Amino acid sequence: MRILVTGGAGFIGSHLIDRLMAANHEVICLDNFYTGHKRNILRWMGNPYFELVRHDITEPIRLEVDQIYHLACPASPVHYQYNPVKTVKTNVLGTLNMLGLAKRVKARFFLASTSEVYGDPEVHPQPEEYRGSVNPSAFAVVTTKASGWLRHWRLTTIVKTMLKFVWCEFLTPMAQNVGKRWSRGE
């Protein structure tokens, strides 16, 4: 299977690529390196089943893939607050571009989001059904909008979609370094 991972040079994306490569898939890593690191994916460079494309998803791209794992977005408050316009564009235009690609090639689509969209939670950990207290931050608003589009596309197109939230609890061991650019071995 030919699989696209946006944000593939990031901490979570690079680990996903490891799993996909171990399962003998062809993988395209799409990243602009705004927060990701090339060193996270160096082990796959030169592998005939791996391709690295330096690209900003706010611009459309034409690829042929079977699945898309859309992980591209600055996730740390330090990064998304440093350039909020870029964050909005990545969430809005990037998600629309990737959904458009999925529709064109009839690929399955997975959107990873963040619990940030729920605001300050009253429940820990938050189940998928939790609607929380909505955070009015620009990051939360556009991330919520991206997941809303995903639900709309699932209902109105032939694109098979999936949405999952990357919970802050997953990153608990890293909490003391919020905002740090993560790479392997750190």
Side-chain angles (χ1 to χ4, degrees):
M1 190 163 296
R2 192 166 161 87
I3 301 173
L4 172 65
V5 179
T6 68
F11 181 77
I12 295 173
S14 63
H15 282 85
L16 174 60
I17 287 172
D18 289 346
R19 294 289 300 267
L20 294 171
M21 292 296 292
N24 297 314
H25 293 289
E26 276 186 71
V27 177
I28 300 172
C29 171
L30 193 70
D31 206 301
N32 66 354
F33 300 105
Y34 181 66
T35 59
H37 290 282
K38 198 172 190 176
R39 68 178 169 258
N40 288 344
I41 51 171
L42 278 177
R43 74 189 65 202
W44 301 115
M45 302 299 274
N47 185 306
Y49 296 104
F50 178 79
E51 183 179 348
L52 171 63
V53 178
R54 185 179 195 132
H55 180 79
D56 189 325
I57 62 166
T58 62
E59 299 294 328
I61 190 165
R62 295 184 68 84
L63 298 168
E64 299 297 323
V65 295
D66 302 302
Q67 293 180 354
I68 299 170
Y69 289 85
H70 181 37
L71 310 177
C73 185
S76 160
V78 170
H79 293 117
Y80 67 72
Q81 291 171 359
Y82 174 74
N83 192 340
V85 172
K86 180 157 192 57
T87 300
V88 169
K89 285 181 176 182
T90 300
N91 270 307
V92 176
L93 297 175
T95 299
L96 285 175
N97 286 334
M98 292 302 106
L99 282 168
L101 174 62
K103 181 178 180 183
R104 184 179 64 77
V105 300
K106 297 178 178 57
R108 287 183 162 240
F109 187 90
F110 174 91
L111 172 65
S113 189
T114 172
S115 61
E116 180 81 11
V117 301
Y118 295 126
D120 191 15
E122 298 166 1
V123 177
H124 293 283
Q126 299 86 38
E128 288 287 327
E129 303 78 37
Y130 182 70
R131 295 295 173 224
S133 54
V134 178
N135 183 338
S137 75
F139 180 72
V141 170
V142 297
T143 303
T144 303
K145 182 58 82 178
S147 62
W149 282 326
L150 186 68
R151 289 182 185 99
H152 172 74
W153 278 61
R154 186 178 336 161
L155 297 173
T156 61
T157 71
I158 58 172
V159 175
K160 292 181 181 173
T161 62
M162 180 184 289
L163 169 68
K164 287 292 177 190
F165 291 93
V166 179
W167 303 113
C168 292
E169 286 78 7
F170 173 76
L171 303 174
T172 299
M174 298 176 269
Q176 72 261 11
N177 295 308
V178 168
K180 182 176 180 183
R181 291 179 61 180
W182 285 96
S183 65
R184 297 170 184 277
E186 291 185 37

